[in-house]
Amino acid sequence: MAIIKIKNVSVSYNSHEALKNISFDVEAGDFIGFVGPNGAGKTTLIKAIFGLVPLKEGSIELFGTSSSKFINWDKVGYLPQQSSSINPLFPATVQEVVLLGMLSQKKWPRRISRHDRIKTDEMLQKLKIEHLKKRMFSELSGGQQQRVLLARCLVSEPELLIFDEPSTALDPDSRESFFELIKNLNRDSKIAVILITHDTGYVGRFAEKLLYLDNHLIFFGKFSDFCKSQEMGRYFGEHHQHIICHQHHDASDKHHHTHYPPHNKPGSEKI
Amino acid sequence: MNLISFLQYTFIQKAFLAGAFIAVTCAALGIFLVLRKMSLISDGLSHFSFGAIAIGLFFGVYPYYVAVPLVMAGSLLILKITEKARVYGDASIGIVSAVGIAGGVIIASLSKGFNVDLFSYLFGSILSIRTAEVFLSVLLSLAVLAILYFYYWDLFSATFDIDYAKTTGIKTNTINVILTLLTSLVVVLSVKVVGVLLVSALMILPAAAALQIAKGFRSAIFIGCCFSLFSVLSGITFSFFLDLPAGATIVMLNVIFFALALLYKKTA
């Protein structure tokens, strides 16, 4: 069943067309890597899904409802780019931050119940960070903060998780365990995952499907189809296509690289 | 004179009652303003209230009846200018602030009669607060605190992480409007306590002090309210016994609390 339906979506900022005629569906239980160079429209696409930017053309449905009228926010968990909008001076405890995840289930006036606190404690235990409960969020390491924000995402038991560049603030070991955790959630709890990254060579180790965006949709489908596609081979060049596919199959390789099709490399001219 | 007979003065009781409610309201709201980097909106709106009070005095209307709606309109004007005129928030605050001061000075020069009254609002006069003003202060403070209570989690979420708040269904634009309207109400109330020129201190300093030592968001609000309450009550007391201006004394006590909180943070 499609939980997100995107049909012919275009979004413009002033005269710049950030997204051009995008169409695809996200099925329940999918794990999709959203990949593309900087400025390709990845974050804009997520904002469009959340109804935070107006559509120039097209339509988006979330769980069968138009995104502009969608109200069941507890079905969606969102982890924004770290430090992009979080107030670093904010004196919140870990428990308070995770409780914010319960607000999506509530109508005004939003109040936190004893049951919410119990669920929060359970989620902290599940992610093995219950010892941080009374600590100040701002005093934690990047990896710990990311786990807390993941707990905030998961506490409302969403059916869809959207991560925007979740590995930016993490060291390689934290990144590895974080992605493993997401992979397990997708596999064991059947939660659909959309993972935005510019890390083309790494995402394939975890995601089942690839969406390659460069203002318009370059590719959407299974990694195996991407690997077989002659069209993608021509677009990316066989070497880059091979690297992406190789990473997808070799789970023991912890190195990661950012790969762009030759004409999208920073500093290179677009076709 | 001892403390017991001091507390038996009616004007002191009125000042304590109104001052206590305004102090707590200022600190509770101030935490959100400081964390949202909106502290200077209280400064701009207090300057705007100078013009609004001048209009009230000019037409012989009780100044707060004019100041409350006009300053609320001023706060919405700041939001509108920021949204429509492609200028940043601090610039729109500066514009509205200038309109208030310039308008107040022009009206004062036209009137020739109420300059003394008008300029008393610059520095506050909590010890001369009237019974009607005490009721108004308590009532409006309770209203502001009730709104903060019912919007607590919405404000918390939008202040901590505005992008995430939007994705949980919180109307962050509405939250901004509520916050600025509440600020305008509290600014008008605080003018009586510390005066137009020092209102922002009453909203910023207790919050800034609390943020140095708080170990959680609720505790930050609680500590800020304690600092603010204690500074207002002790400021009124010191000003009476030492014959100092009440508003300035209250603000200086807040500065001392902030310095102590900073020292505590550095040494802890």
Side-chain angles (χ1 to χ4, degrees), chain A residues 73 78 85-87 90-91 93 96 101 108 110-112 136 152, chain B residues 35 149 151 153-154 156 160-161 164 167 169 215-218:
Chain A
W73 293 107
Y78 176 53
S85 62
I86 289 177
N87 186 335
F90 204 99
T93 62
E96 286 175 322
W108 188 85
R110 294 179 168 89
R111 307 306 306 164
I112 294 296
M136 293 268 278
R152 181 183 67 172
Chain B
L35 285 172
Y149 174 78
Y151 278 98
W153 285 102
D154 303 63
F156 183 167
F160 179 69
D161 184 351
Y164 179 78
T167 65
K215 293 289 178 194
F217 190 57
R218 279 162 67 127

PDB file of all heavy atoms in Angstrom, chain A residues 73 78 85-87 90-91 93 96 101 108 110-112 136 152, chain B residues 35 149 151 153-154 156 160-161 164 167 169 215-218:
ATOM      1  N   TRP A  73      -0.188  13.534  12.395  1.00  0.00           N
ATOM      2  CA  TRP A  73       1.267  13.694  12.395  1.00  0.00           C
ATOM      3  C   TRP A  73       1.973  12.631  13.217  1.00  0.00           C
ATOM      4  O   TRP A  73       3.195  12.463  13.095  1.00  0.00           O
ATOM      5  CB  TRP A  73       1.630  15.094  12.902  1.00  0.00           C
ATOM      6  CG  TRP A  73       1.195  16.146  11.951  1.00  0.00           C
ATOM      7  CD1 TRP A  73       0.156  17.014  12.118  1.00  0.00           C
ATOM      8  CD2 TRP A  73       1.722  16.410  10.651  1.00  0.00           C
ATOM      9  NE1 TRP A  73       0.022  17.812  11.010  1.00  0.00           N
ATOM     10  CE2 TRP A  73       0.974  17.466  10.096  1.00  0.00           C
ATOM     11  CE3 TRP A  73       2.763  15.869   9.900  1.00  0.00           C
ATOM     12  CZ2 TRP A  73       1.227  17.980   8.827  1.00  0.00           C
ATOM     13  CZ3 TRP A  73       3.015  16.380   8.640  1.00  0.00           C
ATOM     14  CH2 TRP A  73       2.254  17.426   8.117  1.00  0.00           C
ATOM     15  N   TYR A  78      10.096  12.661  12.100  1.00  0.00           N
ATOM     16  CA  TYR A  78      11.020  13.444  11.284  1.00  0.00           C
ATOM     17  C   TYR A  78      12.257  13.807  12.091  1.00  0.00           C
ATOM     18  O   TYR A  78      12.149  14.294  13.218  1.00  0.00           O
ATOM     19  CB  TYR A  78      10.310  14.711  10.795  1.00  0.00           C
ATOM     20  CG  TYR A  78      11.184  15.674  10.019  1.00  0.00           C
ATOM     21  CD1 TYR A  78      11.918  15.245   8.928  1.00  0.00           C
ATOM     22  CD2 TYR A  78      11.240  17.017  10.372  1.00  0.00           C
ATOM     23  CE1 TYR A  78      12.706  16.135   8.206  1.00  0.00           C
ATOM     24  CE2 TYR A  78      12.017  17.913   9.656  1.00  0.00           C
ATOM     25  CZ  TYR A  78      12.749  17.458   8.571  1.00  0.00           C
ATOM     26  OH  TYR A  78      13.526  18.342   7.858  1.00  0.00           O
ATOM     27  N   SER A  85      18.194  23.657  13.150  1.00  0.00           N
ATOM     28  CA  SER A  85      17.164  24.496  13.762  1.00  0.00           C
ATOM     29  C   SER A  85      17.093  24.348  15.274  1.00  0.00           C
ATOM     30  O   SER A  85      16.335  25.048  15.920  1.00  0.00           O
ATOM     31  CB  SER A  85      15.801  24.159  13.150  1.00  0.00           C
ATOM     32  OG  SER A  85      15.465  22.814  13.428  1.00  0.00           O
ATOM     33  N   ILE A  86      17.888  23.444  15.849  1.00  0.00           N
ATOM     34  CA  ILE A  86      17.828  23.257  17.303  1.00  0.00           C
ATOM     35  C   ILE A  86      18.585  24.377  18.004  1.00  0.00           C
ATOM     36  O   ILE A  86      19.688  24.729  17.616  1.00  0.00           O
ATOM     37  CB  ILE A  86      18.407  21.880  17.693  1.00  0.00           C
ATOM     38  CG1 ILE A  86      17.444  20.794  17.234  1.00  0.00           C
ATOM     39  CG2 ILE A  86      18.633  21.782  19.196  1.00  0.00           C
ATOM     40  CD1 ILE A  86      17.922  19.399  17.493  1.00  0.00           C
ATOM     41  N   ASN A  87      17.941  24.921  19.035  1.00  0.00           N
ATOM     42  CA  ASN A  87      18.527  26.009  19.802  1.00  0.00           C
ATOM     43  C   ASN A  87      19.611  25.453  20.739  1.00  0.00           C
ATOM     44  O   ASN A  87      19.300  24.710  21.665  1.00  0.00           O
ATOM     45  CB  ASN A  87      17.402  26.678  20.598  1.00  0.00           C
ATOM     46  CG  ASN A  87      17.857  27.907  21.312  1.00  0.00           C
ATOM     47  OD1 ASN A  87      19.028  28.050  21.622  1.00  0.00           O
ATOM     48  ND2 ASN A  87      16.923  28.804  21.567  1.00  0.00           N
ATOM     49  N   PHE A  90      19.295  25.937  24.641  1.00  0.00           N
ATOM     50  CA  PHE A  90      18.037  25.542  25.277  1.00  0.00           C
ATOM     51  C   PHE A  90      18.305  24.603  26.461  1.00  0.00           C
ATOM     52  O   PHE A  90      18.987  23.590  26.304  1.00  0.00           O
ATOM     53  CB  PHE A  90      17.143  24.841  24.254  1.00  0.00           C
ATOM     54  CG  PHE A  90      15.693  24.922  24.606  1.00  0.00           C
ATOM     55  CD1 PHE A  90      14.884  25.868  24.015  1.00  0.00           C
ATOM     56  CD2 PHE A  90      15.148  24.068  25.544  1.00  0.00           C
ATOM     57  CE1 PHE A  90      13.544  25.952  24.344  1.00  0.00           C
ATOM     58  CE2 PHE A  90      13.809  24.151  25.884  1.00  0.00           C
ATOM     59  CZ  PHE A  90      13.007  25.096  25.277  1.00  0.00           C
ATOM     60  N   PRO A  91      17.721  24.909  27.638  1.00  0.00           N
ATOM     61  CA  PRO A  91      18.046  24.109  28.821  1.00  0.00           C
ATOM     62  C   PRO A  91      17.129  22.900  29.003  1.00  0.00           C
ATOM     63  O   PRO A  91      16.608  22.676  30.094  1.00  0.00           O
ATOM     64  CB  PRO A  91      17.835  25.120  29.959  1.00  0.00           C
ATOM     65  CG  PRO A  91      16.714  25.968  29.477  1.00  0.00           C
ATOM     66  CD  PRO A  91      16.845  26.050  27.985  1.00  0.00           C
ATOM     67  N   THR A  93      16.022  18.912  29.338  1.00  0.00           N
ATOM     68  CA  THR A  93      16.573  17.599  29.676  1.00  0.00           C
ATOM     69  C   THR A  93      16.239  16.631  28.546  1.00  0.00           C
ATOM     70  O   THR A  93      15.354  16.909  27.719  1.00  0.00           O
ATOM     71  CB  THR A  93      15.962  17.046  30.975  1.00  0.00           C
ATOM     72  OG1 THR A  93      14.555  16.887  30.779  1.00  0.00           O
ATOM     73  CG2 THR A  93      16.226  17.973  32.156  1.00  0.00           C
ATOM     74  N   GLU A  96      12.604  15.732  28.569  1.00  0.00           N
ATOM     75  CA  GLU A  96      11.735  16.772  28.014  1.00  0.00           C
ATOM     76  C   GLU A  96      11.779  16.756  26.490  1.00  0.00           C
ATOM     77  O   GLU A  96      10.741  16.919  25.828  1.00  0.00           O
ATOM     78  CB  GLU A  96      12.157  18.148  28.545  1.00  0.00           C
ATOM     79  CG  GLU A  96      11.769  18.393  30.005  1.00  0.00           C
ATOM     80  CD  GLU A  96      12.288  19.718  30.563  1.00  0.00           C
ATOM     81  OE1 GLU A  96      13.420  20.111  30.214  1.00  0.00           O
ATOM     82  OE2 GLU A  96      11.593  20.341  31.370  1.00  0.00           O
ATOM     83  N   GLY A 101       8.054  14.475  21.248  1.00  0.00           N
ATOM     84  CA  GLY A 101       7.581  13.542  20.222  1.00  0.00           C
ATOM     85  C   GLY A 101       6.138  13.102  20.438  1.00  0.00           C
ATOM     86  O   GLY A 101       5.477  12.657  19.495  1.00  0.00           O
ATOM     87  N   TRP A 108      -4.981  20.556  20.863  1.00  0.00           N
ATOM     88  CA  TRP A 108      -4.856  21.642  21.841  1.00  0.00           C
ATOM     89  C   TRP A 108      -5.971  21.559  22.881  1.00  0.00           C
ATOM     90  O   TRP A 108      -7.083  21.274  22.507  1.00  0.00           O
ATOM     91  CB  TRP A 108      -4.935  22.996  21.121  1.00  0.00           C
ATOM     92  CG  TRP A 108      -4.620  24.131  22.048  1.00  0.00           C
ATOM     93  CD1 TRP A 108      -3.399  24.619  22.363  1.00  0.00           C
ATOM     94  CD2 TRP A 108      -5.568  24.904  22.799  1.00  0.00           C
ATOM     95  NE1 TRP A 108      -3.516  25.640  23.260  1.00  0.00           N
ATOM     96  CE2 TRP A 108      -4.827  25.851  23.548  1.00  0.00           C
ATOM     97  CE3 TRP A 108      -6.963  24.892  22.930  1.00  0.00           C
ATOM     98  CZ2 TRP A 108      -5.444  26.769  24.401  1.00  0.00           C
ATOM     99  CZ3 TRP A 108      -7.570  25.804  23.777  1.00  0.00           C
ATOM    100  CH2 TRP A 108      -6.805  26.732  24.510  1.00  0.00           C
ATOM    101  N   ARG A 110      -2.427  20.884  24.431  1.00  0.00           N
ATOM    102  CA  ARG A 110      -1.588  19.695  24.517  1.00  0.00           C
ATOM    103  C   ARG A 110      -1.029  19.560  25.942  1.00  0.00           C
ATOM    104  O   ARG A 110      -0.354  20.471  26.418  1.00  0.00           O
ATOM    105  CB  ARG A 110      -0.430  19.803  23.525  1.00  0.00           C
ATOM    106  CG  ARG A 110      -0.870  19.796  22.079  1.00  0.00           C
ATOM    107  CD  ARG A 110       0.324  19.933  21.160  1.00  0.00           C
ATOM    108  NE  ARG A 110      -0.050  19.656  19.789  1.00  0.00           N
ATOM    109  CZ  ARG A 110      -0.502  20.569  18.942  1.00  0.00           C
ATOM    110  NH1 ARG A 110      -0.629  21.814  19.335  1.00  0.00           N
ATOM    111  NH2 ARG A 110      -0.822  20.248  17.703  1.00  0.00           N
ATOM    112  N   ARG A 111      -1.356  18.439  26.596  1.00  0.00           N
ATOM    113  CA  ARG A 111      -0.840  18.183  27.938  1.00  0.00           C
ATOM    114  C   ARG A 111      -0.132  16.832  27.939  1.00  0.00           C
ATOM    115  O   ARG A 111      -0.505  15.927  27.181  1.00  0.00           O
ATOM    116  CB  ARG A 111      -1.950  18.157  29.002  1.00  0.00           C
ATOM    117  CG  ARG A 111      -2.876  19.365  29.044  1.00  0.00           C
ATOM    118  CD  ARG A 111      -2.194  20.697  29.165  1.00  0.00           C
ATOM    119  NE  ARG A 111      -1.270  20.843  30.264  1.00  0.00           N
ATOM    120  CZ  ARG A 111      -0.374  21.833  30.338  1.00  0.00           C
ATOM    121  NH1 ARG A 111      -0.261  22.720  29.363  1.00  0.00           N
ATOM    122  NH2 ARG A 111       0.421  21.924  31.373  1.00  0.00           N
ATOM    123  N   ILE A 112       0.872  16.692  28.767  1.00  0.00           N
ATOM    124  CA  ILE A 112       1.631  15.445  28.864  1.00  0.00           C
ATOM    125  C   ILE A 112       1.102  14.634  30.043  1.00  0.00           C
ATOM    126  O   ILE A 112       0.979  15.158  31.157  1.00  0.00           O
ATOM    127  CB  ILE A 112       3.139  15.760  29.050  1.00  0.00           C
ATOM    128  CG1 ILE A 112       3.703  16.446  27.798  1.00  0.00           C
ATOM    129  CG2 ILE A 112       3.924  14.488  29.378  1.00  0.00           C
ATOM    130  CD1 ILE A 112       3.687  15.601  26.528  1.00  0.00           C
ATOM    131  N   MET A 136      21.201  17.238  30.556  1.00  0.00           N
ATOM    132  CA  MET A 136      20.828  18.330  29.650  1.00  0.00           C
ATOM    133  C   MET A 136      21.182  17.918  28.222  1.00  0.00           C
ATOM    134  O   MET A 136      22.316  17.464  27.967  1.00  0.00           O
ATOM    135  CB  MET A 136      21.601  19.592  30.012  1.00  0.00           C
ATOM    136  CG  MET A 136      21.225  20.158  31.359  1.00  0.00           C
ATOM    137  SD  MET A 136      19.923  21.369  31.210  1.00  0.00           S
ATOM    138  CE  MET A 136      20.883  22.795  30.763  1.00  0.00           C
ATOM    139  N   ARG A 152      12.860  10.752  20.135  1.00  0.00           N
ATOM    140  CA  ARG A 152      11.760  11.710  19.972  1.00  0.00           C
ATOM    141  C   ARG A 152      10.925  11.355  18.743  1.00  0.00           C
ATOM    142  O   ARG A 152       9.707  11.452  18.753  1.00  0.00           O
ATOM    143  CB  ARG A 152      12.345  13.127  19.834  1.00  0.00           C
ATOM    144  CG  ARG A 152      11.316  14.213  19.689  1.00  0.00           C
ATOM    145  CD  ARG A 152      11.936  15.579  19.482  1.00  0.00           C
ATOM    146  NE  ARG A 152      12.635  15.687  18.199  1.00  0.00           N
ATOM    147  CZ  ARG A 152      13.128  16.815  17.696  1.00  0.00           C
ATOM    148  NH1 ARG A 152      13.022  17.935  18.386  1.00  0.00           N
ATOM    149  NH2 ARG A 152      13.735  16.841  16.539  1.00  0.00           N
TER     150      ARG A 152
ATOM    151  N   LEU B  35      15.126  32.738  24.610  1.00  0.00           N
ATOM    152  CA  LEU B  35      15.529  31.534  23.874  1.00  0.00           C
ATOM    153  C   LEU B  35      15.189  31.630  22.388  1.00  0.00           C
ATOM    154  O   LEU B  35      15.830  30.998  21.558  1.00  0.00           O
ATOM    155  CB  LEU B  35      14.876  30.298  24.486  1.00  0.00           C
ATOM    156  CG  LEU B  35      15.502  29.839  25.807  1.00  0.00           C
ATOM    157  CD1 LEU B  35      14.682  28.731  26.439  1.00  0.00           C
ATOM    158  CD2 LEU B  35      16.934  29.357  25.583  1.00  0.00           C
ATOM    159  N   TYR B 149       0.320  28.646  30.157  1.00  0.00           N
ATOM    160  CA  TYR B 149       0.094  27.288  30.669  1.00  0.00           C
ATOM    161  C   TYR B 149      -0.518  26.400  29.573  1.00  0.00           C
ATOM    162  O   TYR B 149      -0.045  25.287  29.327  1.00  0.00           O
ATOM    163  CB  TYR B 149      -0.823  27.341  31.893  1.00  0.00           C
ATOM    164  CG  TYR B 149      -1.225  25.985  32.416  1.00  0.00           C
ATOM    165  CD1 TYR B 149      -0.345  25.227  33.190  1.00  0.00           C
ATOM    166  CD2 TYR B 149      -2.477  25.443  32.123  1.00  0.00           C
ATOM    167  CE1 TYR B 149      -0.708  23.975  33.655  1.00  0.00           C
ATOM    168  CE2 TYR B 149      -2.846  24.194  32.589  1.00  0.00           C
ATOM    169  CZ  TYR B 149      -1.961  23.461  33.360  1.00  0.00           C
ATOM    170  OH  TYR B 149      -2.309  22.212  33.811  1.00  0.00           O
ATOM    171  N   TYR B 151      -0.497  26.842  26.358  1.00  0.00           N
ATOM    172  CA  TYR B 151       0.355  26.710  25.161  1.00  0.00           C
ATOM    173  C   TYR B 151       1.777  26.271  25.528  1.00  0.00           C
ATOM    174  O   TYR B 151       2.689  26.394  24.705  1.00  0.00           O
ATOM    175  CB  TYR B 151       0.409  28.040  24.395  1.00  0.00           C
ATOM    176  CG  TYR B 151      -0.796  28.243  23.497  1.00  0.00           C
ATOM    177  CD1 TYR B 151      -1.863  29.015  23.910  1.00  0.00           C
ATOM    178  CD2 TYR B 151      -0.871  27.656  22.246  1.00  0.00           C
ATOM    179  CE1 TYR B 151      -2.983  29.212  23.103  1.00  0.00           C
ATOM    180  CE2 TYR B 151      -1.970  27.841  21.423  1.00  0.00           C
ATOM    181  CZ  TYR B 151      -3.015  28.615  21.864  1.00  0.00           C
ATOM    182  OH  TYR B 151      -4.106  28.794  21.052  1.00  0.00           O
ATOM    183  N   TRP B 153       3.485  23.432  25.935  1.00  0.00           N
ATOM    184  CA  TRP B 153       4.208  22.457  25.114  1.00  0.00           C
ATOM    185  C   TRP B 153       4.379  22.934  23.673  1.00  0.00           C
ATOM    186  O   TRP B 153       5.383  22.637  23.031  1.00  0.00           O
ATOM    187  CB  TRP B 153       3.524  21.090  25.176  1.00  0.00           C
ATOM    188  CG  TRP B 153       3.810  20.417  26.487  1.00  0.00           C
ATOM    189  CD1 TRP B 153       2.980  20.328  27.576  1.00  0.00           C
ATOM    190  CD2 TRP B 153       5.039  19.781  26.884  1.00  0.00           C
ATOM    191  NE1 TRP B 153       3.615  19.675  28.609  1.00  0.00           N
ATOM    192  CE2 TRP B 153       4.877  19.325  28.210  1.00  0.00           C
ATOM    193  CE3 TRP B 153       6.255  19.558  26.247  1.00  0.00           C
ATOM    194  CZ2 TRP B 153       5.880  18.654  28.916  1.00  0.00           C
ATOM    195  CZ3 TRP B 153       7.257  18.891  26.945  1.00  0.00           C
ATOM    196  CH2 TRP B 153       7.069  18.450  28.260  1.00  0.00           C
ATOM    197  N   ASP B 154       3.388  23.683  23.172  1.00  0.00           N
ATOM    198  CA  ASP B 154       3.520  24.245  21.821  1.00  0.00           C
ATOM    199  C   ASP B 154       4.685  25.233  21.784  1.00  0.00           C
ATOM    200  O   ASP B 154       5.517  25.217  20.863  1.00  0.00           O
ATOM    201  CB  ASP B 154       2.237  24.990  21.411  1.00  0.00           C
ATOM    202  CG  ASP B 154       1.010  24.101  21.471  1.00  0.00           C
ATOM    203  OD1 ASP B 154       0.678  23.651  22.586  1.00  0.00           O
ATOM    204  OD2 ASP B 154       0.397  23.847  20.427  1.00  0.00           O
ATOM    205  N   PHE B 156       7.174  25.420  23.936  1.00  0.00           N
ATOM    206  CA  PHE B 156       8.407  24.665  24.209  1.00  0.00           C
ATOM    207  C   PHE B 156       8.944  24.071  22.905  1.00  0.00           C
ATOM    208  O   PHE B 156      10.106  24.281  22.519  1.00  0.00           O
ATOM    209  CB  PHE B 156       8.068  23.577  25.227  1.00  0.00           C
ATOM    210  CG  PHE B 156       9.227  22.720  25.689  1.00  0.00           C
ATOM    211  CD1 PHE B 156       9.083  21.899  26.796  1.00  0.00           C
ATOM    212  CD2 PHE B 156      10.445  22.711  25.043  1.00  0.00           C
ATOM    213  CE1 PHE B 156      10.117  21.102  27.247  1.00  0.00           C
ATOM    214  CE2 PHE B 156      11.503  21.915  25.479  1.00  0.00           C
ATOM    215  CZ  PHE B 156      11.329  21.107  26.575  1.00  0.00           C
ATOM    216  N   PHE B 160      12.355  25.150  20.962  1.00  0.00           N
ATOM    217  CA  PHE B 160      13.476  24.209  20.923  1.00  0.00           C
ATOM    218  C   PHE B 160      13.897  23.895  19.491  1.00  0.00           C
ATOM    219  O   PHE B 160      15.081  23.885  19.156  1.00  0.00           O
ATOM    220  CB  PHE B 160      13.101  22.924  21.663  1.00  0.00           C
ATOM    221  CG  PHE B 160      14.189  21.883  21.643  1.00  0.00           C
ATOM    222  CD1 PHE B 160      15.369  22.077  22.344  1.00  0.00           C
ATOM    223  CD2 PHE B 160      14.045  20.716  20.911  1.00  0.00           C
ATOM    224  CE1 PHE B 160      16.379  21.123  22.320  1.00  0.00           C
ATOM    225  CE2 PHE B 160      15.047  19.762  20.881  1.00  0.00           C
ATOM    226  CZ  PHE B 160      16.220  19.964  21.587  1.00  0.00           C
ATOM    227  N   ASP B 161      12.915  23.624  18.630  1.00  0.00           N
ATOM    228  CA  ASP B 161      13.238  23.173  17.273  1.00  0.00           C
ATOM    229  C   ASP B 161      12.034  23.461  16.369  1.00  0.00           C
ATOM    230  O   ASP B 161      11.110  22.655  16.276  1.00  0.00           O
ATOM    231  CB  ASP B 161      13.536  21.666  17.316  1.00  0.00           C
ATOM    232  CG  ASP B 161      13.975  21.109  15.976  1.00  0.00           C
ATOM    233  OD1 ASP B 161      13.892  21.830  14.968  1.00  0.00           O
ATOM    234  OD2 ASP B 161      14.404  19.940  15.941  1.00  0.00           O
ATOM    235  N   TYR B 164      11.027  20.937  13.502  1.00  0.00           N
ATOM    236  CA  TYR B 164      10.387  19.715  14.006  1.00  0.00           C
ATOM    237  C   TYR B 164       8.968  20.014  14.506  1.00  0.00           C
ATOM    238  O   TYR B 164       8.042  19.233  14.268  1.00  0.00           O
ATOM    239  CB  TYR B 164      11.229  19.105  15.124  1.00  0.00           C
ATOM    240  CG  TYR B 164      10.598  17.857  15.697  1.00  0.00           C
ATOM    241  CD1 TYR B 164      10.687  16.647  15.017  1.00  0.00           C
ATOM    242  CD2 TYR B 164       9.869  17.897  16.875  1.00  0.00           C
ATOM    243  CE1 TYR B 164      10.083  15.513  15.507  1.00  0.00           C
ATOM    244  CE2 TYR B 164       9.255  16.760  17.376  1.00  0.00           C
ATOM    245  CZ  TYR B 164       9.372  15.565  16.687  1.00  0.00           C
ATOM    246  OH  TYR B 164       8.759  14.448  17.165  1.00  0.00           O
ATOM    247  N   THR B 167       6.364  19.799  11.977  1.00  0.00           N
ATOM    248  CA  THR B 167       6.008  18.454  11.511  1.00  0.00           C
ATOM    249  C   THR B 167       5.203  17.673  12.547  1.00  0.00           C
ATOM    250  O   THR B 167       4.817  16.545  12.286  1.00  0.00           O
ATOM    251  CB  THR B 167       7.265  17.627  11.155  1.00  0.00           C
ATOM    252  OG1 THR B 167       8.021  17.402  12.353  1.00  0.00           O
ATOM    253  CG2 THR B 167       8.124  18.332  10.136  1.00  0.00           C
ATOM    254  N   GLY B 169       2.477  19.150  13.740  1.00  0.00           N
ATOM    255  CA  GLY B 169       1.167  19.776  13.629  1.00  0.00           C
ATOM    256  C   GLY B 169       1.027  21.071  14.416  1.00  0.00           C
ATOM    257  O   GLY B 169      -0.070  21.627  14.503  1.00  0.00           O
ATOM    258  N   LYS B 215      18.714  23.321  35.119  1.00  0.00           N
ATOM    259  CA  LYS B 215      19.033  21.976  34.619  1.00  0.00           C
ATOM    260  C   LYS B 215      17.806  21.341  33.967  1.00  0.00           C
ATOM    261  O   LYS B 215      17.570  20.154  34.085  1.00  0.00           O
ATOM    262  CB  LYS B 215      19.527  21.091  35.767  1.00  0.00           C
ATOM    263  CG  LYS B 215      20.862  21.517  36.330  1.00  0.00           C
ATOM    264  CD  LYS B 215      21.998  21.227  35.345  1.00  0.00           C
ATOM    265  CE  LYS B 215      23.336  21.703  35.877  1.00  0.00           C
ATOM    266  NZ  LYS B 215      24.357  21.741  34.829  1.00  0.00           N
ATOM    267  N   GLY B 216      17.005  22.128  33.336  1.00  0.00           N
ATOM    268  CA  GLY B 216      15.793  21.648  32.671  1.00  0.00           C
ATOM    269  C   GLY B 216      14.933  22.846  32.340  1.00  0.00           C
ATOM    270  O   GLY B 216      15.157  23.942  32.883  1.00  0.00           O
ATOM    271  N   PHE B 217      13.971  22.684  31.425  1.00  0.00           N
ATOM    272  CA  PHE B 217      13.199  23.834  30.977  1.00  0.00           C
ATOM    273  C   PHE B 217      12.228  24.337  32.054  1.00  0.00           C
ATOM    274  O   PHE B 217      12.100  25.538  32.280  1.00  0.00           O
ATOM    275  CB  PHE B 217      12.441  23.477  29.699  1.00  0.00           C
ATOM    276  CG  PHE B 217      11.817  24.675  29.044  1.00  0.00           C
ATOM    277  CD1 PHE B 217      12.597  25.756  28.678  1.00  0.00           C
ATOM    278  CD2 PHE B 217      10.464  24.737  28.814  1.00  0.00           C
ATOM    279  CE1 PHE B 217      12.041  26.879  28.093  1.00  0.00           C
ATOM    280  CE2 PHE B 217       9.893  25.842  28.225  1.00  0.00           C
ATOM    281  CZ  PHE B 217      10.684  26.914  27.864  1.00  0.00           C
ATOM    282  N   ARG B 218      11.552  23.400  32.708  1.00  0.00           N
ATOM    283  CA  ARG B 218      10.627  23.807  33.777  1.00  0.00           C
ATOM    284  C   ARG B 218      11.383  24.490  34.901  1.00  0.00           C
ATOM    285  O   ARG B 218      10.924  25.490  35.453  1.00  0.00           O
ATOM    286  CB  ARG B 218       9.868  22.593  34.322  1.00  0.00           C
ATOM    287  CG  ARG B 218       8.691  22.211  33.441  1.00  0.00           C
ATOM    288  CD  ARG B 218       8.247  20.813  33.729  1.00  0.00           C
ATOM    289  NE  ARG B 218       7.686  20.716  35.067  1.00  0.00           N
ATOM    290  CZ  ARG B 218       6.492  20.215  35.328  1.00  0.00           C
ATOM    291  NH1 ARG B 218       5.741  19.777  34.343  1.00  0.00           N
ATOM    292  NH2 ARG B 218       6.044  20.136  36.548  1.00  0.00           N
TER     293      ARG B 218
END
